[in-house]
């Protein structure tokens, strides 16, 4: 029946992110018995993500080598597919499996967090009686022109019309309200609070329609609270280009990929002012998930660092397709070849919610994108015994093992920890859609080359 082979059932995909502190049991009935009717992760406050407790079992397994989780309770549940990880990749695995083999195929999706969606999390706040929705993770769809036919078909099937973003995005919002990008220097670090009328980088290129500054970079640098030497060095960084590398054009891309951005700043440009290095380090910190001092020159340039127009100044070092954003000087705004406009109020959480709705129709009301965004999902409905597809949260998988020899087994046992207790279910197929660095610790039957490759990840 299945095209997922026994040897390949552990192919890893994306990771999940979230939190788990609630003591739920293993079965749907027990979950319902313990669940507070008001339990609704999107409305929880605090720093939502992998909160304390969500990774305890995983860390005990990978860091401490724990292999004894006490008596295993066999739930006598058997599924056509068990998915380890409830992020978008895991949810999509369930969707595609049912699409390929039929909507009657039983699926169980296990995740160690208290919410589904992985990096695509949703935040809700009620302020003065009004609902405010925001993303708690990944924000936007990007480069949709390169999406595969299968992905586009899934988006359409769950109710997402990509053309609607072009119709509904207010391209003139920033210009109409006179909003432009600036850079703020705080007193604690730079000696005085200073707002410079220029972003000094191309990061606003990720905000479609953001108004360009009206002053030159020279005038902007003059506004900064830096020393005269610091201003000179900052201007040198902003005006840097591939010509500063001193290598042939044919070697620029390889050079940019094999050398650190900060080595270029320090060794090639001679930057030693700590304030300038700090500005450079944090220019695109929220896009790269880390300081630019840890990135190659190539990766740093692809994230909108200090500089006026990297796509022009570094075109040979970046190569085709590495940096899609550009400055639309004719219109006085930032813009992109592939406009950065395809995001919902809660970011990509809408995509996760729509896939869940497809798998478990009674989880929430409505049948379109607007309903999914505005409705409150019933988390008690995720793991009902009568569901064809079930999502079991707060459940950390610690072992996936074939039922017999690898080459002849027709099923596998999946062992997970929930509220400190050990449970086992049976699956005809398993997809590992969890944090892929955990897979070698979870799957003892992993082929040696795949084990080595996964353990080499950093």
């Amino acid at each position: 029946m299945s095209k997922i082979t026994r040897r390949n059932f552990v192919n890893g995909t994306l990771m999940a992110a979230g939190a788990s502190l609630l003591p739920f049991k293993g079965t749907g009935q027990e979950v319902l018995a313990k669940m507070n009717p008001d339990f609704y992760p999107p409305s929880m406050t605090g720093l939502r993500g992998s909160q304390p407790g969500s990774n305890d079992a995983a860390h005990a397994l990978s860091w401490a080598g724990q292999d004894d989780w006490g008596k295993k309770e066999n739930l006598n549940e058997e599924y056509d597919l068990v998915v380890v990880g409830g992020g978008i990749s895991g949810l999509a695995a369930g969707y595609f499996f049912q699409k390929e083999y039929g909507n009657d195929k039983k699926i169980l999706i296990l995740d160690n967090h208290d919410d589904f969606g992985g990096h695509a999390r949703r935040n809700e706040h009620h302020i003065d009686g009004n609902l405010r929705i925001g993303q708690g993770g990944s924000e936007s769809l990007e480069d949709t022109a390169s999406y595969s036919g299968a992905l586009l078909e899934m988006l359409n099937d769950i109710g997402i019309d990509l053309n609607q973003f072009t119709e509904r995005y207010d391209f003139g919002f920033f210009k109409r309200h006179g909003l432009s990008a600036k850079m703020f220097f705080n007193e604690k670090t730079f000696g005085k609070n200073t707002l410079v009328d220029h972003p000094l980088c191309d990061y606003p290129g990720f905000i479609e329609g953001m108004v360009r500054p009206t002053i030159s970079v020279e005038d902007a640098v003059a506004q900064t609270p830096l020393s005269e030497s610091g201003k000179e060095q900052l201007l040198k960084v902003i005006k840097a280009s591939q010509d500063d590398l001193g290598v042939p054009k044919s070697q620029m891309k390889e050079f940019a990929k094999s050398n650190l951005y900060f080595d270029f700043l320090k060794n090639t440009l001679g930057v030693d002012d700590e304030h300038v290095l700090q500005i450079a380090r944090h220019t695109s910190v929220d896009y790269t998930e880390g300081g630019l001092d840890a990135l190659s020159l190539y990766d740093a340039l692809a994230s909108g660092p200090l500089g006026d127009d990297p796509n022009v100044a570094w075109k040979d070092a970046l190569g085709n397709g590495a940096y899609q954003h550009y400055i639309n000087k004719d219109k006085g705004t930032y813009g992109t070849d592939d406009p950065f406009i395809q995001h919902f109020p809660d970011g990509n959480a809408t995509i996760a919610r729509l896939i869940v709705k497809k798998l478990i129709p009674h989880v929430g009301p409505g049948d379109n994108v607007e309903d999914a965004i505005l409705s409150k999902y019933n988390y008690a409905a995720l793991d009902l015994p009568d569901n064809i597809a079930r999502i079991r949260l707060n459940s950390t998988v610690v072992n996936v093992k074939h039922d017999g020899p690898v080459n002849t087994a027709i099923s596998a046992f999946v062992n997970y920890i929930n509220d400190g207790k050990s449970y086992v279910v049976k699956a005809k197929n398993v997809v590992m859609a969890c944090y892929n660095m955990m897979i070698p610790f979870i799957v003892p039957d992993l082929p040696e080359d795949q084990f080595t490759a996964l353990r080499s990840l950093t």
Side-chain angles (χ1 to χ4, degrees), residues 254-268:
E254 180 58 34
F255 182 92
K257 286 188 173 183
S258 58
N259 287 269
L260 291 174
Y261 176 59
F262 258 46
D263 284 347
F264 168 74
L265 297 183
K266 294 177 179 179
N267 302 332
T268 303

Side-chain angles (χ1 to χ4, degrees), residues 195-260:
L195 187 64
V196 175
D197 296 325
H198 198 300
L200 301 177
C201 66
D202 193 48
Y203 187 76
F206 294 88
I207 306 175
E208 180 65 33
M210 176 65 72
V211 178
R212 278 186 45 73
T214 56
I215 65 172
S216 67
V217 292
E218 290 84 0
D219 289 341
V221 170
Q223 291 181 2
T224 68
L226 300 175
S227 66
E228 290 306 311
S229 174
K231 291 177 180 178
E232 291 178 5
Q233 291 185 23
L234 177 58
L235 193 58
K236 184 183 293 187
V237 175
I238 292 172
K239 289 183 168 295
S241 72
Q242 62 188 35
D243 295 335
D244 294 307
L245 296 180
V247 298
K249 288 184 178 181
S250 61
Q251 300 177 20
M252 284 183 179
K253 189 173 182 180
E254 180 58 34
F255 182 92
K257 286 188 173 183
S258 58
N259 287 269
L260 291 174

Side-chain angles (χ1 to χ4, degrees), residues 202 240-242 301-327 329 335-337:
D202 193 48
S241 72
Q242 62 188 35
L301 291 171
S303 64
L306 288 168
D308 196 35
D309 194 350
N311 197 44
V312 173
W314 295 92
K315 58 182 179 180
D316 293 306
L318 285 169
N320 294 330
Y323 193 89
Q324 297 297 326
H325 299 267
Y326 73 98
I327 295 174
K329 291 184 171 69
T336 64
D337 289 320

Side-chain angles (χ1 to χ4, degrees), residues 160-450:
I160 295 177
D161 180 1
L162 295 177
N163 294 323
Q164 287 191 340
F165 290 105
T166 302
E167 297 170 2
R168 299 188 181 190
Y169 189 86
D170 188 353
F171 289 88
F173 177 85
F174 297 101
K175 191 170 185 177
R176 189 167 61 253
H177 293 282
L179 299 175
S180 62
K182 304 178 186 297
M183 183 173 284
F184 177 70
F185 296 78
N186 65 71
E187 181 179 10
K188 180 179 179 180
T189 303
F190 298 96
K192 59 185 282 191
N193 291 327
T194 305
L195 187 64
V196 175
D197 296 325
H198 198 300
L200 301 177
C201 66
D202 193 48
Y203 187 76
F206 294 88
I207 306 175
E208 180 65 33
M210 176 65 72
V211 178
R212 278 186 45 73
T214 56
I215 65 172
S216 67
V217 292
E218 290 84 0
D219 289 341
V221 170
Q223 291 181 2
T224 68
L226 300 175
S227 66
E228 290 306 311
S229 174
K231 291 177 180 178
E232 291 178 5
Q233 291 185 23
L234 177 58
L235 193 58
K236 184 183 293 187
V237 175
I238 292 172
K239 289 183 168 295
S241 72
Q242 62 188 35
D243 295 335
D244 294 307
L245 296 180
V247 298
K249 288 184 178 181
S250 61
Q251 300 177 20
M252 284 183 179
K253 189 173 182 180
E254 180 58 34
F255 182 92
K257 286 188 173 183
S258 58
N259 287 269
L260 291 174
Y261 176 59
F262 258 46
D263 284 347
F264 168 74
L265 297 183
K266 294 177 179 179
N267 302 332
T268 303
L269 299 183
V271 176
D272 58 9
D273 186 285
E274 285 302 314
H275 284 156
V276 175
L277 291 173
Q278 182 163 358
I279 297 168
R281 180 178 294 113
H282 295 290
T283 303
S284 294
V285 66
D286 60 338
Y287 182 76
T288 61
E289 299 180 358
L292 297 191
D293 52 340
L295 298 183
S296 69
L297 175 59
Y298 181 90
D299 289 333
L301 291 171
S303 64
L306 288 168
D308 196 35
D309 194 350
N311 197 44
V312 173
W314 295 92
K315 58 182 179 180
D316 293 306
L318 285 169
N320 294 330
Y323 193 89
Q324 297 297 326
H325 299 267
Y326 73 98
I327 295 174
N328 193 336
K329 291 184 171 69
D330 294 335
K331 294 184 178 180
T333 63
Y334 290 87
T336 64
D337 289 320
D338 182 25
F340 197 65
I341 62 174
Q342 294 164 328
H343 34 251
F344 300 99
D346 57 3
N348 290 336
T350 286
I351 299 173
R353 287 164 70 87
L354 287 169
I355 300 175
V356 170
K357 172 74 172 174
K358 194 72 175 179
L359 294 171
I360 309 173
H362 55 273
V363 73
D367 57 3
N368 55 47
V369 172
E370 288 79 5
D371 291 335
I373 293 173
L374 297 174
S375 64
K376 180 177 180 179
Y377 274 21
N378 177 15
Y379 277 68
L382 295 176
D383 194 16
L384 293 172
D386 292 336
N387 288 3
I388 297 298
R390 302 171 72 170
I391 300 175
R392 189 164 297 166
L393 302 171
N394 305 291
S395 301
T396 303
V397 174
V398 293
N399 187 266
V400 178
K401 188 174 178 61
H402 291 92
D403 180 15
V406 173
N407 293 326
T408 59
I410 60 173
S411 60
F413 290 107
V414 181
N415 179 203
Y416 67 89
I417 308 302
N418 182 290
D419 190 23
K421 295 181 175 59
S422 181
Y423 300 92
V424 177
V425 296
K426 194 173 184 178
K428 296 177 183 177
N429 300 278
V430 178
V431 169
M432 302 296 293
C434 57
Y435 181 30
N436 49 23
M437 289 184 69
M438 279 299 300
I439 295 175
F441 300 98
I442 299 172
V443 185
D445 297 335
L446 204 65
E448 184 177 352
D449 56 347
Q450 194 171 10

Side-chain angles (χ1 to χ4, degrees), residues 105-125:
K105 299 305 178 186
K106 294 181 61 178
I107 296 173
L108 174 65
I109 299 174
L110 297 165
D111 196 276
N112 60 315
H113 305 101
D114 66 356
D115 203 355
F116 57 79
H119 282 303
R121 299 292 289 272
R122 172 184 172 97
N123 288 331
E124 294 184 12
H125 302 279

Side-chain angles (χ1 to χ4, degrees), residues 56-67 69 397-399 438 441-442:
D56 286 356
H59 290 165
L61 173 66
S62 59
W63 294 354
Q66 181 172 338
D67 58 6
W69 306 91
V397 174
V398 293
N399 187 266
M438 279 299 300
F441 300 98
I442 299 172

